[in-house]
Amino acid sequence: MLKARISTLEAEGKNALKTVKTIADLEAWEIKYLGRKSELGNILKSLKNFSSEEKKVIGSLANGARQTLAQAFAETKARLLEQSVDWEKERIDVSAPGVAVACGHLHLITQLEHQIEDIFVSMGFTVADGPEVESEWYNFDALNVSPDHPARDMQDTFWLQRDEPQKENFLLRTHTSSVQARYMETHTPPFRIIIPGKIFRNEATDASHEHTFHQFECLMVGDDVSVANFKYIAQAFFENFFEKKVLIRLRPSFFPFTEPSFEFDISCVLCDGNGCPVCKQSGWLEIGGAGMVNQKVFEAAGYPRGKYQGFAWGFGVTRLAMMKYKISDIRLFMGGDLRFIRQF
Ligand SMILES: [Zn+2]
């Protein structure tokens, strides 16, 4: 009886499989004929109740039927899966042109910062860094700008609001010179450093004024550093940066943190000193301020008065970028207009 039933089940299952058209149908078939609770499954589970002789015969018969059905099931499944694929849709045209991947790049200012760093590093400078939110001490006091000094009015400052009275006032640094004081506190001369960074001025913006821009500070301190060293390094830097011969001109000036102080100009890189609208026919471009570090700044950093000499020099990367690429509006750099950014 049972032997006949197994044969019937096998034939029935094979027949039923022929009418299966979908994967869902196939899953239902699998449960019915091969599942744990299927009739064949129950027969296999009940083998333990038979004598060992019967177990042998019926067991081999039931297992054989199971294997046959499993084999048929696998074949049907493979056939259905293949039929379910839309080969036309899946076709890949390997000769079709690819889709360009949008790729960003470094901002012009960052590119120039890297270029400037490379030039200075090749002259033995190291790159130093400091915080953009600075204390009043490092931004002003340590640089010999005393509380009642009129020089504090030279720069309009973004002061940070205080929730409760503190000992110190904080601000957005108005120059990268604040890092000078920080660096000198922890380093002993001789050293030569550059400090690239963002600075902030609380002023109205127009084509040549921006509240946030980028500056470089250059500081070289040793036993016998002189103005001649500054002039040589400045000239070497600008000739490298603009890739042409550049002359340097110093004019007397005043900064609290340097003594003597000077403004310095370079020969106009657009007209080579012959006169053009950019240099207002003068042949010279104003670049920045510099000077020999005031001994009071050294004292504030903890150095003995008169032991060291050095020069300090600040110039704007944004301004250099405008000169190099003939950009007439400073607001374009931080304006976020991608049509501008993508040109560099
Ligand atoms: Zn010119």
Short mmCIF file of all heavy atoms in Angstrom, two decimals, residues 45-93:
data_model
loop_
_atom_site.label_atom_id
_atom_site.label_comp_id
_atom_site.label_asym_id
_atom_site.label_seq_id
_atom_site.Cartn_x
_atom_site.Cartn_y
_atom_site.Cartn_z
N LYS A 45 9.29 10.63 7.96
CA LYS A 45 9.34 10.80 9.41
C LYS A 45 8.83 9.54 10.14
O LYS A 45 9.27 9.23 11.23
CB LYS A 45 8.51 12.02 9.84
CG LYS A 45 9.37 13.28 10.02
CD LYS A 45 8.55 14.46 10.53
CE LYS A 45 8.01 15.25 9.36
NZ LYS A 45 7.12 16.35 9.71
N SER A 46 7.88 8.84 9.48
CA SER A 46 7.27 7.69 10.16
C SER A 46 8.08 6.41 10.02
O SER A 46 7.72 5.36 10.54
CB SER A 46 5.85 7.45 9.58
OG SER A 46 5.96 7.04 8.23
N LEU A 47 9.22 6.48 9.30
CA LEU A 47 10.04 5.28 9.06
C LEU A 47 10.47 4.59 10.35
O LEU A 47 10.60 3.39 10.41
CB LEU A 47 11.30 5.67 8.26
CG LEU A 47 11.12 5.88 6.76
CD1 LEU A 47 12.42 6.30 6.11
CD2 LEU A 47 10.60 4.61 6.09
N LYS A 48 10.64 5.40 11.40
CA LYS A 48 11.13 4.83 12.67
C LYS A 48 10.16 3.81 13.27
O LYS A 48 10.54 3.00 14.10
CB LYS A 48 11.45 5.95 13.67
CG LYS A 48 10.27 6.86 14.00
CD LYS A 48 10.74 7.91 14.99
CE LYS A 48 9.60 8.81 15.47
NZ LYS A 48 9.05 9.72 14.46
N ASN A 49 8.89 3.84 12.80
CA ASN A 49 7.89 2.90 13.33
C ASN A 49 7.91 1.54 12.64
O ASN A 49 7.25 0.61 13.06
CB ASN A 49 6.48 3.49 13.19
CG ASN A 49 6.40 4.85 13.85
OD1 ASN A 49 7.05 5.07 14.88
ND2 ASN A 49 5.62 5.75 13.25
N PHE A 50 8.69 1.47 11.54
CA PHE A 50 8.70 0.21 10.79
C PHE A 50 9.82 -0.71 11.24
O PHE A 50 10.77 -0.29 11.89
CB PHE A 50 8.87 0.50 9.29
CG PHE A 50 7.68 1.24 8.70
CD1 PHE A 50 7.78 2.58 8.42
CD2 PHE A 50 6.48 0.57 8.43
CE1 PHE A 50 6.71 3.27 7.87
CE2 PHE A 50 5.42 1.27 7.89
CZ PHE A 50 5.52 2.60 7.61
N SER A 51 9.66 -2.01 10.86
CA SER A 51 10.73 -2.97 11.14
C SER A 51 11.92 -2.61 10.25
O SER A 51 11.77 -1.91 9.25
CB SER A 51 10.26 -4.40 10.81
OG SER A 51 10.12 -4.51 9.41
N SER A 52 13.10 -3.10 10.64
CA SER A 52 14.29 -2.69 9.90
C SER A 52 14.22 -3.14 8.45
O SER A 52 14.73 -2.46 7.55
CB SER A 52 15.55 -3.24 10.57
OG SER A 52 15.48 -4.64 10.59
N GLU A 53 13.57 -4.27 8.19
CA GLU A 53 13.44 -4.77 6.81
C GLU A 53 12.60 -3.79 5.99
O GLU A 53 13.00 -3.35 4.91
CB GLU A 53 12.76 -6.16 6.83
CG GLU A 53 12.98 -6.97 5.55
CD GLU A 53 14.46 -7.21 5.26
OE1 GLU A 53 15.28 -7.34 6.22
OE2 GLU A 53 14.80 -7.19 4.07
N GLU A 54 11.41 -3.43 6.55
CA GLU A 54 10.50 -2.50 5.86
C GLU A 54 11.16 -1.12 5.71
O GLU A 54 11.03 -0.47 4.68
CB GLU A 54 9.20 -2.35 6.67
CG GLU A 54 8.26 -3.53 6.54
CD GLU A 54 7.07 -3.39 7.50
OE1 GLU A 54 7.30 -2.96 8.67
OE2 GLU A 54 5.95 -3.70 7.08
N LYS A 55 11.84 -0.75 6.76
CA LYS A 55 12.49 0.57 6.78
C LYS A 55 13.40 0.71 5.57
O LYS A 55 13.45 1.73 4.90
CB LYS A 55 13.32 0.69 8.07
CG LYS A 55 13.43 2.13 8.58
CD LYS A 55 14.34 2.20 9.77
CE LYS A 55 13.61 2.01 11.10
NZ LYS A 55 14.48 2.12 12.26
N LYS A 56 14.16 -0.39 5.30
CA LYS A 56 15.13 -0.38 4.20
C LYS A 56 14.42 -0.13 2.88
O LYS A 56 14.77 0.78 2.11
CB LYS A 56 15.83 -1.75 4.15
CG LYS A 56 17.33 -1.64 3.97
CD LYS A 56 17.88 -3.06 3.89
CE LYS A 56 19.34 -3.10 4.30
NZ LYS A 56 19.78 -4.51 4.42
N VAL A 57 13.37 -0.93 2.60
CA VAL A 57 12.67 -0.89 1.32
C VAL A 57 11.94 0.46 1.14
O VAL A 57 12.15 1.18 0.17
CB VAL A 57 11.67 -2.06 1.21
CG1 VAL A 57 10.92 -2.00 -0.12
CG2 VAL A 57 12.38 -3.38 1.36
N ILE A 58 11.10 0.76 2.13
CA ILE A 58 10.28 1.98 2.01
C ILE A 58 11.15 3.23 2.06
O ILE A 58 10.96 4.18 1.31
CB ILE A 58 9.21 2.01 3.13
CG1 ILE A 58 8.24 0.86 2.91
CG2 ILE A 58 8.45 3.35 3.14
CD1 ILE A 58 7.24 0.66 3.99
N GLY A 59 12.18 3.17 2.94
CA GLY A 59 13.09 4.32 3.05
C GLY A 59 13.76 4.61 1.72
O GLY A 59 13.80 5.77 1.29
N SER A 60 14.28 3.60 1.08
CA SER A 60 15.00 3.86 -0.17
C SER A 60 14.04 4.35 -1.25
O SER A 60 14.37 5.24 -2.05
CB SER A 60 15.77 2.61 -0.60
OG SER A 60 15.14 1.97 -1.66
N LEU A 61 12.82 3.77 -1.22
CA LEU A 61 11.80 4.17 -2.21
C LEU A 61 11.42 5.65 -2.00
O LEU A 61 11.39 6.46 -2.94
CB LEU A 61 10.56 3.29 -2.06
CG LEU A 61 9.70 3.11 -3.30
CD1 LEU A 61 10.49 2.42 -4.41
CD2 LEU A 61 8.45 2.29 -2.96
N ALA A 62 11.13 6.01 -0.73
CA ALA A 62 10.70 7.38 -0.42
C ALA A 62 11.81 8.38 -0.71
O ALA A 62 11.58 9.46 -1.27
CB ALA A 62 10.27 7.48 1.04
N ASN A 63 13.03 8.02 -0.34
CA ASN A 63 14.16 8.93 -0.60
C ASN A 63 14.38 9.11 -2.09
O ASN A 63 14.70 10.22 -2.55
CB ASN A 63 15.43 8.40 0.06
CG ASN A 63 15.55 8.92 1.49
OD1 ASN A 63 15.27 10.09 1.75
ND2 ASN A 63 15.92 8.03 2.41
N GLY A 64 14.22 8.02 -2.84
CA GLY A 64 14.38 8.08 -4.30
C GLY A 64 13.36 9.04 -4.89
O GLY A 64 13.69 9.90 -5.71
N ALA A 65 12.08 8.91 -4.43
CA ALA A 65 11.01 9.77 -4.95
C ALA A 65 11.32 11.23 -4.61
O ALA A 65 11.16 12.13 -5.43
CB ALA A 65 9.68 9.37 -4.32
N ARG A 66 11.81 11.41 -3.39
CA ARG A 66 12.11 12.77 -2.95
C ARG A 66 13.20 13.39 -3.83
O ARG A 66 13.11 14.54 -4.26
CB ARG A 66 12.59 12.72 -1.49
CG ARG A 66 12.48 14.06 -0.81
CD ARG A 66 12.81 14.01 0.66
NE ARG A 66 12.49 15.30 1.26
CZ ARG A 66 13.20 16.38 1.09
NH1 ARG A 66 14.30 16.32 0.36
NH2 ARG A 66 12.83 17.53 1.64
N GLN A 67 14.24 12.58 -4.10
CA GLN A 67 15.34 13.08 -4.93
C GLN A 67 14.87 13.42 -6.34
O GLN A 67 15.24 14.46 -6.89
CB GLN A 67 16.45 12.04 -5.01
CG GLN A 67 17.51 12.26 -3.92
CD GLN A 67 18.58 11.19 -3.94
OE1 GLN A 67 18.81 10.56 -4.98
NE2 GLN A 67 19.19 10.96 -2.80
N THR A 68 14.04 12.55 -6.90
CA THR A 68 13.53 12.79 -8.26
C THR A 68 12.75 14.11 -8.30
O THR A 68 12.94 14.93 -9.20
CB THR A 68 12.58 11.66 -8.67
OG1 THR A 68 13.25 10.42 -8.40
CG2 THR A 68 12.22 11.74 -10.13
N LEU A 69 11.86 14.30 -7.29
CA LEU A 69 11.05 15.52 -7.26
C LEU A 69 11.93 16.76 -7.04
O LEU A 69 11.71 17.81 -7.65
CB LEU A 69 9.98 15.42 -6.17
CG LEU A 69 8.85 14.41 -6.46
CD1 LEU A 69 7.90 14.33 -5.27
CD2 LEU A 69 8.08 14.82 -7.72
N ALA A 70 12.94 16.63 -6.18
CA ALA A 70 13.83 17.77 -5.90
C ALA A 70 14.59 18.17 -7.17
O ALA A 70 14.77 19.35 -7.47
CB ALA A 70 14.81 17.41 -4.78
N GLN A 71 15.01 17.14 -7.91
CA GLN A 71 15.73 17.39 -9.15
C GLN A 71 14.83 18.13 -10.15
O GLN A 71 15.21 19.13 -10.73
CB GLN A 71 16.18 16.03 -9.72
CG GLN A 71 16.77 16.08 -11.12
CD GLN A 71 18.18 16.64 -11.09
OE1 GLN A 71 18.86 16.59 -10.07
NE2 GLN A 71 18.61 17.21 -12.22
N ALA A 72 13.57 17.62 -10.28
CA ALA A 72 12.61 18.24 -11.20
C ALA A 72 12.30 19.68 -10.77
O ALA A 72 12.18 20.59 -11.60
CB ALA A 72 11.32 17.43 -11.24
N PHE A 73 12.23 19.84 -9.45
CA PHE A 73 11.96 21.18 -8.91
C PHE A 73 13.07 22.15 -9.30
O PHE A 73 12.82 23.26 -9.77
CB PHE A 73 11.84 21.09 -7.37
CG PHE A 73 11.88 22.41 -6.68
CD1 PHE A 73 10.75 23.22 -6.63
CD2 PHE A 73 13.06 22.86 -6.07
CE1 PHE A 73 10.79 24.44 -5.98
CE2 PHE A 73 13.10 24.08 -5.43
CZ PHE A 73 11.97 24.88 -5.39
N ALA A 74 14.33 21.72 -9.12
CA ALA A 74 15.48 22.59 -9.44
C ALA A 74 15.47 22.97 -10.91
O ALA A 74 15.74 24.12 -11.27
CB ALA A 74 16.78 21.88 -9.06
N GLU A 75 15.18 21.99 -11.76
CA GLU A 75 15.17 22.28 -13.20
C GLU A 75 14.09 23.30 -13.54
O GLU A 75 14.31 24.24 -14.30
CB GLU A 75 14.95 20.99 -14.00
CG GLU A 75 16.20 20.14 -14.06
CD GLU A 75 15.90 18.71 -14.53
OE1 GLU A 75 14.75 18.45 -14.95
OE2 GLU A 75 16.82 17.87 -14.45
N THR A 76 12.89 23.09 -12.96
CA THR A 76 11.78 24.01 -13.25
C THR A 76 12.11 25.42 -12.75
O THR A 76 11.85 26.42 -13.42
CB THR A 76 10.49 23.52 -12.55
OG1 THR A 76 10.29 22.17 -12.90
CG2 THR A 76 9.29 24.33 -12.97
N LYS A 77 12.72 25.49 -11.57
CA LYS A 77 13.05 26.80 -11.00
C LYS A 77 14.03 27.55 -11.91
O LYS A 77 13.86 28.74 -12.20
CB LYS A 77 13.69 26.60 -9.60
CG LYS A 77 13.82 27.92 -8.85
CD LYS A 77 14.32 27.69 -7.43
CE LYS A 77 14.42 29.02 -6.70
NZ LYS A 77 14.93 28.86 -5.33
N ALA A 78 15.06 26.83 -12.38
CA ALA A 78 16.04 27.46 -13.27
C ALA A 78 15.36 27.97 -14.54
O ALA A 78 15.64 29.06 -15.01
CB ALA A 78 17.14 26.46 -13.60
N ARG A 79 14.43 27.13 -15.06
CA ARG A 79 13.75 27.52 -16.31
C ARG A 79 12.89 28.76 -16.09
O ARG A 79 12.92 29.72 -16.87
CB ARG A 79 12.87 26.34 -16.78
CG ARG A 79 12.12 26.58 -18.08
CD ARG A 79 11.52 25.29 -18.62
NE ARG A 79 10.73 24.54 -17.63
CZ ARG A 79 9.48 24.87 -17.28
NH1 ARG A 79 8.90 25.91 -17.82
NH2 ARG A 79 8.84 24.15 -16.38
N LEU A 80 12.15 28.78 -14.96
CA LEU A 80 11.28 29.94 -14.68
C LEU A 80 12.08 31.22 -14.48
O LEU A 80 11.71 32.29 -14.95
CB LEU A 80 10.42 29.66 -13.44
CG LEU A 80 9.26 28.69 -13.62
CD1 LEU A 80 8.54 28.49 -12.30
CD2 LEU A 80 8.29 29.19 -14.68
N LEU A 81 13.22 31.11 -13.76
CA LEU A 81 14.04 32.30 -13.50
C LEU A 81 14.57 32.88 -14.81
O LEU A 81 14.58 34.09 -15.02
CB LEU A 81 15.21 31.95 -12.57
CG LEU A 81 14.85 31.82 -11.09
CD1 LEU A 81 16.07 31.41 -10.28
CD2 LEU A 81 14.30 33.14 -10.53
N GLU A 82 14.99 31.97 -15.70
CA GLU A 82 15.53 32.44 -16.96
C GLU A 82 14.45 33.14 -17.77
O GLU A 82 14.68 34.19 -18.38
CB GLU A 82 16.12 31.28 -17.76
CG GLU A 82 17.03 31.77 -18.86
CD GLU A 82 17.72 30.62 -19.57
OE1 GLU A 82 18.37 29.82 -18.90
OE2 GLU A 82 17.58 30.54 -20.80
N GLN A 83 13.21 32.55 -17.72
CA GLN A 83 12.11 33.16 -18.48
C GLN A 83 11.72 34.53 -17.92
O GLN A 83 11.24 35.39 -18.64
CB GLN A 83 10.89 32.24 -18.43
CG GLN A 83 10.99 31.08 -19.40
CD GLN A 83 9.91 30.04 -19.15
OE1 GLN A 83 9.07 30.20 -18.28
NE2 GLN A 83 9.96 28.97 -19.92
N SER A 84 11.95 34.74 -16.60
CA SER A 84 11.51 35.99 -15.98
C SER A 84 12.43 37.17 -16.31
O SER A 84 12.14 38.31 -16.01
CB SER A 84 11.42 35.83 -14.47
OG SER A 84 12.73 35.73 -13.95
N VAL A 85 13.60 36.90 -16.90
CA VAL A 85 14.53 37.99 -17.22
C VAL A 85 14.19 38.58 -18.58
O VAL A 85 14.01 37.86 -19.55
CB VAL A 85 15.99 37.47 -17.23
CG1 VAL A 85 16.94 38.59 -17.60
CG2 VAL A 85 16.34 36.90 -15.87
N ASP A 86 14.09 39.91 -18.62
CA ASP A 86 13.87 40.59 -19.90
C ASP A 86 15.25 40.87 -20.51
O ASP A 86 15.92 41.83 -20.17
CB ASP A 86 13.12 41.91 -19.65
CG ASP A 86 12.83 42.62 -20.97
OD1 ASP A 86 13.41 42.22 -22.00
OD2 ASP A 86 12.02 43.56 -20.95
N TRP A 87 15.65 39.96 -21.38
CA TRP A 87 17.03 40.04 -21.89
C TRP A 87 17.27 41.30 -22.71
O TRP A 87 18.37 41.84 -22.73
CB TRP A 87 17.38 38.80 -22.72
CG TRP A 87 17.45 37.60 -21.83
CD1 TRP A 87 16.54 36.61 -21.73
CD2 TRP A 87 18.46 37.33 -20.85
NE1 TRP A 87 16.91 35.70 -20.75
CE2 TRP A 87 18.08 36.13 -20.20
CE3 TRP A 87 19.62 37.98 -20.45
CZ2 TRP A 87 18.85 35.56 -19.19
CZ3 TRP A 87 20.39 37.40 -19.44
CH2 TRP A 87 19.99 36.22 -18.81
N GLU A 88 16.21 41.78 -23.36
CA GLU A 88 16.37 43.01 -24.16
C GLU A 88 16.72 44.19 -23.23
O GLU A 88 17.56 45.01 -23.52
CB GLU A 88 15.06 43.28 -24.92
CG GLU A 88 15.22 44.19 -26.12
CD GLU A 88 16.44 43.83 -26.98
OE1 GLU A 88 16.63 42.64 -27.35
OE2 GLU A 88 17.21 44.76 -27.26
N LYS A 89 16.03 44.18 -22.07
CA LYS A 89 16.25 45.24 -21.10
C LYS A 89 17.64 45.15 -20.47
O LYS A 89 18.26 46.15 -20.12
CB LYS A 89 15.19 45.10 -19.99
CG LYS A 89 14.50 46.40 -19.63
CD LYS A 89 13.40 46.06 -18.65
CE LYS A 89 12.88 47.26 -17.93
NZ LYS A 89 11.82 46.87 -16.99
N GLU A 90 18.09 43.93 -20.31
CA GLU A 90 19.37 43.70 -19.64
C GLU A 90 20.57 43.89 -20.55
O GLU A 90 21.70 43.88 -20.10
CB GLU A 90 19.42 42.27 -19.07
CG GLU A 90 18.38 41.98 -18.01
CD GLU A 90 18.69 42.71 -16.71
OE1 GLU A 90 19.86 42.76 -16.32
OE2 GLU A 90 17.74 43.28 -16.12
N ARG A 91 20.30 44.08 -21.83
CA ARG A 91 21.41 44.18 -22.78
C ARG A 91 22.29 45.40 -22.45
O ARG A 91 21.80 46.48 -22.17
CB ARG A 91 20.85 44.32 -24.20
CG ARG A 91 21.92 44.32 -25.26
CD ARG A 91 21.34 44.86 -26.55
NE ARG A 91 20.29 43.99 -27.09
CZ ARG A 91 20.53 42.91 -27.83
NH1 ARG A 91 21.77 42.59 -28.12
NH2 ARG A 91 19.54 42.21 -28.29
N ILE A 92 23.59 45.20 -22.45
CA ILE A 92 24.52 46.31 -22.18
C ILE A 92 25.27 46.63 -23.45
O ILE A 92 25.90 45.75 -24.06
CB ILE A 92 25.52 45.93 -21.07
CG1 ILE A 92 24.78 45.74 -19.75
CG2 ILE A 92 26.60 47.00 -20.92
CD1 ILE A 92 25.62 45.15 -18.65
N ASP A 93 25.18 47.89 -23.86
CA ASP A 93 25.92 48.32 -25.03
C ASP A 93 27.29 48.82 -24.56
O ASP A 93 27.44 49.93 -24.08
CB ASP A 93 25.17 49.45 -25.74
CG ASP A 93 25.91 49.92 -26.98
OD1 ASP A 93 27.01 49.38 -27.24
OD2 ASP A 93 25.40 50.78 -27.68
#
